[in-house]
Amino acid sequence: MRNLALISSWDSSLPLNITSTTIDLDDNVIYVSSERNDLDGEVEVELWKMDQSGSVDKPFSRAASFRTVIATNGPDVQTVSLRYVAESRRIAAITRGGDVIMISIDEENAPFEIEGSFDSGILAASWSPDESVVAIVTGEHKLILLTTLFDVLSEAPLYVEEFGEDAPINVGWGSKQTQFHGSLGKAAAQAPSTSKIGISPDDDNLPRISWRGDGAFFVVSSLSPSSNSQPHRTLRVYDRQGVLQSTSEEIAGLEHSLAWRPSGNLIVSTQRFGFEGGGAGREGRHDIIFFERNGLRHGEFSLRTEQLGVKGKGVDNGRGRRWGYKVRELAWNADSNVLAVWIEGDDGDVVQFWTTGNYHWYLKHEIAAPSSSSGEPGRFTSLSWHPELALQITLTTSSQIIYRVYSWDTFVSFSQPPHDSGAVAVLDGSNILLTPFRSQNVPPPMSSCQLSLSPDPSLLSSRSSAQTPVHVSFSPETDDLVVLWESGYIEIWALRTRLVPGPGKIMDPTRLLSFSVKGDADTQWRQISMRKESTSPNSIVTVLGTVPGSLKDALAVISVAEGAVSDTVSFQLPYRNCRLFSGSVNGIYQSPYGELFQYSPGDEVSMPVGRFSEFCVQAHTVTIPLANSDDSSPQPAYIGLAKSGKIYISRSEEETRTLSTNATSLAIASGFVIFTTSTHEAIFAPLDTLPRLFEQAEGVSKEIPSDWSPRRIERGSRIVVAVPSTMSLVLQMPRGNLETINPRPLVMQVVKQDLDAGNYRKAFFACRKHRIDLNVIVDHDQGALMQNISSFVDQIPEVDHLNLFLTLIGRGQRSPETIAALCDAFRVELEKRDLTKYVNSILTAHVIKTPPDHEAGLALLLRLRDSDPEVVEDAVKYIIFLIDAERLFDTALGMYDFSLVIMIAQHAQKVFLAKALLLHPHDPREYLPFLRELRALEKFYQRFRIDDHLKRYESALKNLSLAGPERFDEAVAYVERHRLYESALSIWKETEQYEDILNSYGDWLFERREFRQAASVFVQAKKVFKAMIAHEKALEWQELFDLAVLDGMAEDDIIAMGYRVAEDLSSKKRFSEAGRVLLDYSKDIREAVVAFVHGNSFSEARRIISLNSMPELLEDVIHPASLESRAQIAEDIGEMREQIRKQLARLRELRIKKIEEPDAFYGAEDNVALHNVDVMTDVSMPATAFTRYTVAPTSASRSSRRTSRSKRKMERKVGSGRKGTVDEEEYLLRSVTKLVERFVATQGEARNLLPHLFQFSEEHRQEGAELQNDVAKFELELREGLDEIWTRIPAEDEADAIPDGLQARMVEREKNKAVNPLEKVPKPDISQGKDWRVNLFDLN
């Protein structure tokens, strides 16, 4: 759907006989050769050069010249090949006389060197694309391959009989000899073919050579030997060593032109038909034909000779062209997308550009040779594409050099909703293929309408023979099309597009006006636009062109009123090769350097309004809000797409930002900048987000903003047109076919506009069509919807649609309260309108709440059962469709209405006891007896049975309590079975049975080992013995002995219970409490002192000894126990010292490894095989070095199976601190923290012990001093260790280091994400254990 648009051109006159050109890509210099014959039989060849860097208007300068012999047996042009050889920085000129000449370009007027000569002359020569080999066909019809040093690689005769190395094996299938010939018999099969194979009368009889793009093969087209009675052309394919690979099949009428497509799949030539020796077909037929490398045919297309403007009358005019024209040469551009056909006609030369798509060849553009000053038809002397820049071409005439730059452009309509047609125009010769994508999507090469152009001969300029329009534009305001020819001829067409479905033509074009632009007859017009005047019904046509030799562009502004040209204003822009903006833009132009300016022709003043960093082929203007401003007035901004793939946005000369660096196409529609990228995504950037780009520094972020919506598209897709009214985006695939998508951003934009306008029906059906959750209707503006529910129901009265809408509301992510409010609002509105009509919708509103209100829905059925039984029957079927039949039946049964139960059962054909009693679910005889049994029961017991069946146990217990006191034992059993103790306590509170319920509840708690709770319940139930047992199990000895004393327990029992409780307390290391029990209730002072000593409560033990005057216990118990406690503390200090030293050493080792070998520390060894991996699959794969940081594998199926138990297990595994894992450091830090807590506790024990050691014997005092010294030393060592461990190492600045390889990048990312363990584990406080020393130890 793309067309070739002329972007820029320049021409330079050189009043000499120009023959060929070549380009120095390194210095961007073009070299031109001119020839002049002298009387001595020699030709003087001059080389001229022009530097194209910076400016294309620099003058030519003479570079060198040489002389060579004239060859008289060929064309007048003596230069067969002119090539700049980059390696040697010399120009190689191969002449027809047989000389191979090299000219150095580093020296001005450098002498030329003849590297070799061929006495027989040279008929053809061609350099390989890499300039390492040159192929030459000599006058003796020999094929010679030379190196850049002109050493011979191979030499062989051109005419050979063999096919080549790739000769196929022919088994005769499909040949004439294997066909059935009926009555003619075998003789007909064996008879030789009588068809003649000859050459075209327009053949120049010279060989041609063409290389494949990679330089691996080349093809030679040559005539058969002169001894052959019927000469014909043959193609032979050779490799770069000169070995014949294949020979083409014999083609009648094959001509001399030859070109091998750089991509390598096709060899192109031409074929004539309709004469003796030519192809079988009508006379005048002329085809471009294709061959494969193996020599077999591969398709063709016909030249449109009837539309050829340079075609003469033929041989009768005496010009030597039998059909009035001939194809001179063929040439492919660098990317193999455009085929240039150089046609030489009686009335001049023309170059046609052909492109292909979907197996159709389009004639996109024509360049007519300028007429000479004497009035002779214009002739080209050479044609060459730029070897690197795909759409740049150089043409020469005998005295002029023409350089043109093209670009791909899509001619689309920029009309706005609701009149946007989405029309696209495709040029194909004199036909314009039109398709309005709003109405239909017609895949190319077909179209909705084919507009055949037949220009008015009286208005066409005689100086241009190009019949193909150069540019086409749509009017943004009207359904008009304006067509421009390069000569300045213009046609305006009314397309009359049908935008809505219906009968009749989709387009019925009518020509409104045709005229030519007034002005310089030599102006080459290239771009046109059309817009409607805002203050009048007139149309303004703006035409942009270039006058040859001028440094400024010509611009014509034409007013069209009432079908005629009313006024024309012509002036010049300050630059050459400017560009008009797309759409309805008035007076703003783009310079060739990307500058955007407004130009006032009267004052001849240009005012800059913006700037692109480079020239942009597509340039649009948009309006965006001002950034950081409360002013709601929009500001114009300019968006452009350059050939480099960059999209620029500018709003002033100083403010320019880059949206993307890899864009392939661009469109603006529905408030979005839409572009595709080379990463095969379509990006939708809202216009209101663009002002934020100007708040950022210049540069492109690698990540697209979060509010820009990306969408994956097929590889190589490009935007054709965006149609706002249909919310569609038309994409074209590389092979040419089209795909229309409805991107969510475009759909949502239209839906939001409809919702704001209150057009709920259109928004509703747009969401349904494009599979968008209908909840967006609520989420967009819930308050407005609540106020306009009546309008919503008016616009969408269909019950099914309302049911769907309400159902999706219930499935939304809103709170249950919001869903209930919406449903109630719709229910109230529907009940006011027609309860019978909207009964299904009302039922839907009840059941989609959270939780569902099934009972309200069934209650509605009860209301309608008597008045509208038929409606109720349908409603029951509908509600069974919405709700699981068993749940619905249970709900009906839970309402205790048996008639409703039977009605639901009959329609659902399901019985509520099907699962429990294994009854057949479809036989009423099996559930009616159960219903009769329930009816026979007393009211509350009946409800108990129903609630118990429905597993509503609390309600069942309530009904069972109301059934009478005789059922209390059954109720207690029911409570115990279903553990309904809390409900039972509330039901039987303040009754005689309350203590029985408490007793049962206490037994249940005791069984669950909740002894403390059970004791309280037993006390409340006045079960003292059970309460005492529970208190004893709970080790609540204060409450236990209190109950024992109050209950009058015997003293011996109390003493025994005291020993028993003290033993249990000691087992739990509650020594102080054990000592208190032994002292107070067992009256055993010695055992009490032993318990206190075990608990390190020496002060309390000595107090009891003194109080009870038992000094012997001091020697027997206290002194030995103090030494044992001192030994235990010393042992603990030793263990802690050993632990801190080991862990400190390991932490030092880990931190050194982290700095010196980070990959080894994080467990990521660099895998060279992963360095160039760009994409990892999303399927399940084995764990790698970087998956250890993730909580779950990347596979969705595996992560979905992870349970909470396995997650806890993984967390414990992560915190286990296994040696060598990345979690080891954090584990060690937490271990050190626990060590500090243990040391603080040990300090407390030392604080309690040291004063007593000082007061006892000299041995105790010595042991105390050693203990205090040992604890103090370890405290100092621990403080130093903590300071070292929790000292942060400053991070090195590695911002500039970019890891190489996918694995390295992922590991680096995980390392950056990892939290420093020092931040996760705070430094412990060792200063908690203060004042533990005994200073007298230090003094002694």
Side-chain angles (χ1 to χ4, degrees):
M1 305 293 286
R2 296 187 297 170
N3 304 283
L4 281 175
L6 178 60
I7 300 302
S8 65
S9 64
W10 63 267
D11 53 85
S12 183
S13 297
L14 197 63
L16 300 168
N17 184 24
I18 300 174
T19 56
S20 58
T21 62
T22 186
I23 297 178
D24 176 5
L25 296 177
D26 296 334
D27 298 333
N28 199 17
V29 175
I30 183 170
Y31 291 90
V32 180
S33 67
S34 64
E35 298 180 5
R36 184 174 64 237
N37 299 340
D38 58 16
L39 300 177
D40 297 333
E42 293 184 344
V43 59
E44 181 181 2
V45 180
E46 293 181 315
L47 293 181
W48 302 80
K49 71 174 183 179
M50 186 185 77
D51 186 1
Q52 298 185 85
S53 59
S55 173
V56 295
D57 300 314
K58 296 180 180 179
F60 278 93
S61 61
R62 191 171 183 270
S65 65
F66 61 88
R67 302 177 70 85
T68 184
V69 180
I70 297 178
T72 58
N73 58 347
D76 294 337
V77 177
Q78 297 299 309
T79 305
V80 177
S81 171
L82 186 70
R83 182 64 174 251
Y84 170 78
V85 183
E87 183 179 358
S88 61
R89 293 189 58 80
R90 297 193 297 175
I91 293 178
I94 301 176
T95 64
R96 201 169 299 279
D99 291 337
V100 178
I101 301 172
M102 300 297 290
I103 305 102
S104 175
I105 64 171
D106 292 332
E107 302 177 11
E108 293 186 4
N109 298 320
F112 63 92
E113 299 178 7
I114 299 178
E115 299 290 343
S117 297
F118 297 88
D119 295 338
S120 59
I122 296 176
L123 300 180
S126 179
W127 287 84
S128 64
D130 59 2
E131 299 174 348
S132 61
V133 179
V134 59
I136 295 176
V137 176
T138 67
E140 297 175 344
H141 300 286
K142 289 184 178 181
L143 177 64
I144 300 177
L145 265 63
L146 304 177
T147 66
T148 53
L149 299 177
F150 300 100
D151 297 328
V152 177
L153 281 178
S154 69
E155 181 176 356
L158 190 60
Y159 306 126
V160 292
E161 294 297 331
E162 63 268 17
F163 181 89
E165 290 188 349
D166 296 338
I169 299 175
N170 186 6
V171 296
W173 291 346
S175 66
K176 180 180 178 181
Q177 286 76 13
T178 62
Q179 303 302 311
F180 176 69
H181 294 273
S183 60
L184 297 179
K186 293 184 178 180
Q190 297 173 356
S193 176
T194 58
S195 61
K196 294 183 179 180
I197 299 177
I199 62 173
S200 169
D202 292 336
D203 198 304
D204 62 5
N205 299 327
L206 292 175
R208 294 289 193 281
I209 303 174
S210 181
W211 287 82
R212 201 170 74 172
D214 60 358
F217 299 93
F218 65 94
V219 60
V220 178
S221 172
S222 61
L223 290 178
S224 58
S226 57
S227 59
N228 196 329
S229 59
Q230 185 70 29
H232 61 276
R233 278 196 173 265
T234 304
L235 304 185
R236 293 180 175 86
V237 178
Y238 299 85
D239 64 11
R240 64 184 295 119
Q241 283 75 38
V243 179
L244 179 64
Q245 301 296 307
S246 60
T247 303
S248 70
E249 54 184 307
E250 294 183 344
I251 302 296
L254 184 63
E255 294 186 314
H256 58 272
S257 55
L258 180 70
W260 197 328
R261 197 174 190 177
S263 60
N265 60 337
L266 294 175
I267 301 171
V268 188
S269 187
T270 57
Q271 182 185 12
R272 278 287 191 180
F273 296 83
F275 65 95
E276 185 178 1
R282 62 174 176 82
E283 184 177 2
R285 177 181 168 186
H286 201 176
D287 283 3
I288 303 291
I289 61 176
F290 305 105
F291 295 87
E292 297 177 7
R293 188 177 69 83
N294 57 15
L296 298 179
R297 284 284 302 275
H298 189 88
E300 68 282 321
F301 70 90
S302 296
L303 293 174
R304 300 170 189 175
T305 57
E306 69 280 357
Q307 301 176 6
L308 197 58
V310 297
K311 182 179 179 181
K313 296 180 179 180
V315 294
D316 296 335
N317 60 11
R319 295 181 179 177
R321 304 178 189 89
R322 178 171 176 177
W323 289 276
Y325 77 97
K326 67 177 181 180
V327 175
R328 180 79 175 268
E329 296 292 348
L330 302 172
W332 286 100
N333 75 329
D335 62 1
S336 303
N337 286 328
V338 182
L339 175 64
V341 182
W342 176 4
I343 298 176
E344 180 183 291
D346 291 346
D347 297 334
D349 286 8
V350 66
V351 174
Q352 295 182 340
F353 292 165
W354 292 82
T355 64
T356 184
N358 266 16
Y359 304 99
H360 175 78
W361 284 87
Y362 298 86
L363 175 56
K364 289 296 185 184
H365 190 70
E366 288 183 323
I367 305 175
S371 303
S372 63
S373 57
S374 60
E376 293 293 325
R379 301 293 179 193
F380 290 121
T381 59
S382 71
L383 176 153
S384 61
W385 288 98
H386 196 285
E388 293 182 352
L389 304 178
L391 295 179
Q392 296 188 13
I393 191 170
T394 303
L395 302 165
T396 63
T397 66
S398 60
S399 60
Q400 196 174 19
I401 298 144
I402 302 170
Y403 186 82
R404 290 195 170 194
V405 179
Y406 293 85
S407 180
W408 294 109
D409 196 5
T410 306
F411 301 151
V412 302
S413 172
F414 293 98
S415 53
Q416 298 299 312
H419 305 294
D420 53 326
S421 62
V424 178
V426 179
L427 293 179
D428 189 12
S430 60
N431 299 323
I432 299 180
L433 310 180
L434 297 168
T435 300
F437 283 95
R438 174 175 176 176
S439 303
Q440 52 184 208
N441 185 340
V442 180
M446 298 180 292
S447 61
S448 300
C449 176
Q450 181 172 314
L451 182 60
S452 298
L453 303 174
S454 53
D456 189 347
S458 63
L459 297 175
L460 279 176
S461 173
S462 59
R463 64 177 177 80
S464 177
S465 54
Q467 301 295 307
T468 303
V470 70
H471 198 261
V472 171
S473 181
F474 294 88
S475 172
E477 296 84 9
T478 61
D479 191 21
D480 293 340
L481 175 74
V482 59
V483 187
L484 173 67
W485 278 258
E486 190 171 335
S487 62
Y489 177 72
I490 297 174
E491 288 186 355
I492 300 178
W493 291 76
L495 299 179
R496 297 192 289 185
T497 306
R498 177 169 52 83
L499 299 179
V500 296
K505 296 181 180 180
I506 194 71
M507 274 186 169
D508 189 14
T510 301
R511 186 167 67 181
L512 300 177
L513 180 62
S514 60
F515 59 94
S516 291
V517 181
K518 297 179 182 179
D520 193 335
D522 294 331
T523 303
Q524 298 170 351
W525 303 100
R526 65 175 182 276
Q527 191 181 6
I528 192 170
S529 68
M530 184 178 181
R531 59 181 177 85
K532 200 79 171 177
E533 281 191 351
S534 57
T535 57
S536 68
N538 298 348
S539 295
I540 302 298
V541 177
T542 305
V543 192
L544 180 66
T546 301
V547 179
S550 174
L551 299 179
K552 297 182 179 181
D553 271 345
L555 193 75
V557 181
I558 305 166
S559 297
V560 178
E562 299 180 356
V565 176
S566 61
D567 186 26
T568 300
V569 178
S570 300
F571 55 91
Q572 288 186 328
L573 295 178
Y575 306 97
R576 181 188 174 107
N577 299 324
C578 295
R579 187 78 175 163
L580 300 179
F581 271 73
S582 302
S584 182
V585 181
N586 181 23
I588 299 179
Y589 313 97
Q590 182 185 183
S591 76
Y593 315 108
E595 300 171 352
L596 311 178
F597 62 94
Q598 273 184 327
Y599 186 71
S600 174
D603 302 331
E604 296 185 357
V605 174
S606 63
M607 182 179 68
V609 296
R611 177 184 57 82
F612 297 146
S613 299
E614 58 184 308
F615 180 79
C616 293
V617 178
Q618 285 183 257
H620 305 265
T621 180
V622 296
T623 54
I624 60 176
L626 292 174
N628 297 326
S629 175
D630 297 333
D631 188 5
S632 60
S633 60
Q635 179 187 20
Y638 309 96
I639 298 176
L641 172 62
K643 280 188 175 182
S644 62
K646 292 184 178 181
I647 298 180
Y648 299 100
I649 178 172
S650 176
R651 62 182 182 186
S652 66
E653 190 177 12
E654 295 80 16
E655 294 181 300
T656 301
R657 295 294 183 269
T658 306
L659 270 71
S660 175
T661 57
N662 61 342
T664 56
S665 58
L666 172 69
I668 297 177
S670 300
F672 290 92
V673 176
I674 310 169
F675 58 92
T676 58
T677 67
S678 57
T679 56
H680 325 301
E681 286 185 321
I683 308 297
F684 301 84
L687 290 178
D688 54 7
T689 65
L690 298 183
R692 296 204 302 265
L693 297 176
F694 295 99
E695 301 173 7
Q696 305 171 3
E698 176 64 23
V700 181
S701 174
K702 295 181 180 179
E703 300 291 337
I704 65 171
S706 58
D707 46 6
W708 291 13
S709 303
R711 171 176 173 150
R712 298 293 296 177
I713 57 176
E714 186 174 336
R715 179 182 294 271
S717 300
R718 297 175 183 269
I719 297 173
V720 176
V721 65
V723 188
S725 292
T726 58
M727 302 163 284
S728 61
L729 183 68
V730 182
L731 302 173
Q732 186 168 30
M733 309 302 114
R735 56 187 176 273
N737 61 308
L738 300 178
E739 179 182 347
T740 299
I741 62 175
N742 295 95
R744 183 173 295 270
L746 299 187
V747 177
M748 288 303 303
Q749 188 71 13
V750 175
V751 168
K752 290 176 181 178
Q753 294 173 0
D754 292 335
L755 292 176
D756 290 336
N759 195 346
Y760 292 106
R761 185 174 184 84
K762 183 180 177 184
F764 179 88
F765 283 101
C767 292
R768 282 201 68 195
K769 178 179 179 181
H770 300 292
R771 298 183 179 182
I772 294 177
D773 191 352
L774 293 176
N775 281 286
V776 301
I777 298 177
V778 180
D779 296 337
H780 178 67
D781 192 343
Q782 182 176 333
L785 178 64
M786 295 286 284
Q787 295 177 1
N788 297 315
I789 287 180
S790 177
S791 174
F792 186 94
V793 178
D794 288 338
Q795 296 181 41
I796 309 176
E798 296 87 354
V799 174
D800 291 342
H801 294 157
L802 289 173
N803 293 343
L804 174 64
F805 180 67
L806 291 172
T807 302
L808 293 176
I809 287 179
R811 295 179 181 176
Q813 302 298 323
R814 300 173 197 84
S815 64
E817 295 78 10
T818 304
I819 295 175
L822 287 167
C823 292
D824 291 341
F826 272 96
R827 177 181 56 78
V828 170
E829 179 64 28
L830 296 176
E831 288 178 349
K832 288 192 302 184
R833 290 175 178 264
D834 192 338
L835 182 62
T836 302
K837 176 182 178 181
Y838 294 111
V839 61
N840 290 350
S841 300
I842 296 172
L843 289 174
T844 305
H846 282 301
V847 302
I848 57 97
K849 294 179 181 179
T850 304
D853 194 357
H854 296 161
E855 294 188 2
L858 294 177
L860 175 63
L861 297 181
L862 290 176
R863 288 169 53 192
L864 296 174
R865 180 173 56 184
D866 297 331
S867 60
D868 295 295
E870 295 181 358
V871 173
V872 171
E873 183 175 353
D874 294 337
V876 169
K877 294 179 181 178
Y878 176 75
I879 198 171
I880 290 174
F881 168 75
L882 288 181
I883 309 169
D884 180 68
E886 186 175 354
R887 291 180 57 194
L888 187 63
F889 201 94
D890 292 344
T891 303
L893 187 62
M895 296 175 67
Y896 314 120
D897 190 321
F898 290 99
S899 61
L900 182 62
V901 172
I902 294 175
M903 181 175 64
I904 296 297
Q906 288 174 346
H907 286 89
Q909 295 185 350
K910 186 176 180 70
V911 65
F912 66 96
L913 290 176
K915 292 183 179 179
L917 302 180
L918 301 179
L919 301 176
H920 194 276
H922 301 291
D923 191 354
R925 293 174 299 180
E926 297 180 350
Y927 65 80
L928 289 177
F930 181 77
L931 296 181
R932 285 195 294 269
E933 179 186 353
L934 292 177
R935 283 182 173 177
L937 298 175
E938 184 268 332
K939 173 183 176 182
F940 291 106
Y941 195 73
Q942 176 193 86
R943 292 185 177 183
F944 160 72
R945 289 284 303 276
I946 292 174
D947 290 336
D948 180 59
H949 168 72
L950 298 178
K951 297 182 181 180
R952 302 189 305 192
Y953 300 122
E954 293 185 2
S955 178
L957 181 62
K958 180 66 177 177
N959 285 317
L960 185 59
S961 68
L962 298 175
E966 65 276 6
R967 298 191 180 274
F968 177 73
D969 293 338
E970 183 179 356
V972 171
Y974 194 79
V975 168
E976 293 176 351
R977 182 164 64 250
H978 296 290
R979 301 174 182 176
L980 302 173
Y981 296 102
E982 295 181 1
S983 300
L985 290 174
S986 62
I987 292 173
W988 276 282
K989 189 176 183 180
E990 299 179 358
T991 63
E992 297 178 356
Q993 295 87 0
Y994 184 65
E995 291 185 0
D996 296 333
I997 298 296
L998 285 173
N999 186 35
S1000 176
Y1001 182 36
D1003 291 339
W1004 179 73
L1005 290 173
F1006 192 87
E1007 291 175 359
R1008 290 170 54 88
R1009 303 187 65 81
E1010 297 181 15
F1011 302 117
R1012 180 172 174 272
Q1013 299 292 339
S1016 300
V1017 172
F1018 284 136
V1019 170
Q1020 188 70 17
K1022 300 179 181 179
K1023 304 292 184 181
V1024 178
F1025 182 72
K1026 288 184 176 181
M1028 291 172 61
I1029 295 176
H1031 280 309
E1032 183 176 350
K1033 291 291 185 182
L1035 293 180
E1036 295 179 335
W1037 59 272
Q1038 293 92 338
E1039 291 83 355
L1040 170 62
F1041 288 105
D1042 180 48
L1043 280 178
V1045 172
L1046 293 177
D1047 193 46
M1049 179 180 285
E1051 184 176 356
D1052 293 341
D1053 294 338
I1054 291 177
I1055 292 173
M1057 186 169 61
Y1059 282 114
R1060 193 168 60 246
V1061 171
E1063 183 179 357
D1064 293 338
L1065 289 172
S1066 297
S1067 66
K1068 300 295 183 181
K1069 297 188 181 303
R1070 296 164 61 177
F1071 298 106
S1072 296
E1073 295 179 70
R1076 178 56 59 188
V1077 170
L1078 290 170
L1079 183 65
D1080 293 345
Y1081 298 103
S1082 297
K1083 309 300 182 181
D1084 192 338
I1085 298 175
R1086 182 180 183 86
E1087 291 299 326
V1089 170
V1090 171
F1092 282 119
V1093 167
H1094 284 166
N1096 205 20
S1097 300
F1098 289 95
S1099 298
E1100 181 65 14
R1102 293 179 66 183
R1103 185 189 70 81
I1104 293 173
I1105 291 173
S1106 301
L1107 179 65
N1108 293 278
S1109 302
M1110 299 180 67
E1112 67 277 6
L1113 294 180
L1114 193 65
E1115 295 290 339
D1116 296 343
V1117 178
I1118 300 297
H1119 289 179
S1122 63
L1123 294 178
E1124 291 178 3
S1125 180
R1126 178 259 184 274
Q1128 182 62 45
I1129 293 175
E1131 183 180 350
D1132 293 343
I1133 291 296
E1135 292 178 358
M1136 287 186 282
R1137 179 179 289 108
E1138 182 180 0
Q1139 177 182 344
I1140 190 61
R1141 288 176 179 176
K1142 288 182 178 180
Q1143 291 179 338
L1144 184 58
R1146 180 57 181 168
L1147 283 169
R1148 290 169 181 166
E1149 181 182 348
L1150 287 175
R1151 290 175 177 177
I1152 293 174
K1153 187 176 181 181
K1154 184 194 297 187
I1155 297 174
E1156 296 180 351
E1157 301 177 11
D1159 291 338
F1161 176 79
Y1162 288 99
E1165 296 298 335
D1166 194 14
N1167 189 350
V1168 179
L1170 292 177
H1171 280 186
N1172 295 323
V1173 176
D1174 291 328
V1175 178
M1176 300 293 288
T1177 61
D1178 198 22
V1179 298
S1180 179
M1181 63 181 70
T1184 60
F1186 40 81
T1187 56
R1188 68 177 63 216
Y1189 302 102
T1190 58
V1191 176
T1194 57
S1195 173
S1197 60
R1198 293 183 62 187
S1199 63
S1200 62
R1201 295 196 301 266
R1202 191 173 302 284
T1203 63
S1204 59
R1205 180 180 178 183
S1206 62
K1207 289 179 180 178
R1208 290 194 301 270
K1209 183 178 179 181
M1210 176 169 286
E1211 291 173 358
R1212 291 195 299 270
K1213 184 177 180 181
V1214 170
S1216 64
R1218 184 169 55 88
K1219 187 174 182 179
T1221 64
V1222 294
D1223 305 305
E1224 183 182 1
E1225 183 179 3
E1226 179 182 347
Y1227 169 78
L1228 291 175
L1229 293 179
R1230 296 190 183 278
S1231 178
V1232 171
T1233 302
K1234 294 179 180 179
L1235 177 64
V1236 171
E1237 295 174 357
R1238 180 184 175 188
F1239 175 69
V1240 171
T1242 303
Q1243 275 185 323
E1245 294 177 2
R1247 180 178 181 277
N1248 294 334
L1249 178 61
L1250 287 175
H1252 301 286
L1253 290 176
F1254 187 81
Q1255 296 173 11
F1256 294 160
S1257 65
E1258 186 65 29
E1259 179 187 0
H1260 288 82
R1261 183 173 299 179
Q1262 183 179 357
E1263 292 291 338
E1266 293 178 359
L1267 175 62
Q1268 179 169 298
N1269 185 41
D1270 194 14
V1271 174
K1273 287 182 179 180
F1274 179 70
E1275 180 182 13
L1276 179 61
E1277 181 179 355
L1278 184 59
R1279 285 183 184 276
E1280 293 175 352
L1282 293 179
D1283 293 339
E1284 179 181 350
I1285 292 172
W1286 265 269
T1287 300
R1288 299 178 184 272
I1289 301 175
E1292 298 181 2
D1293 186 9
E1294 299 180 355
D1296 298 332
I1298 300 176
D1300 187 18
L1302 174 66
Q1303 184 187 20
R1305 292 196 301 270
M1306 295 187 69
V1307 172
E1308 185 69 20
R1309 181 182 178 187
E1310 294 298 335
K1311 287 191 291 186
N1312 294 335
K1313 286 171 55 179
V1315 179
N1316 190 337
L1318 295 180
E1319 297 179 359
K1320 299 173 66 174
V1321 182
K1323 182 179 179 180
D1325 185 10
I1326 200 174
S1327 61
Q1328 300 176 15
K1330 298 179 179 179
D1331 194 22
W1332 61 274
R1333 294 170 174 270
V1334 175
N1335 295 334
L1336 292 177
F1337 279 123
D1338 298 332
L1339 297 176
N1340 294 334

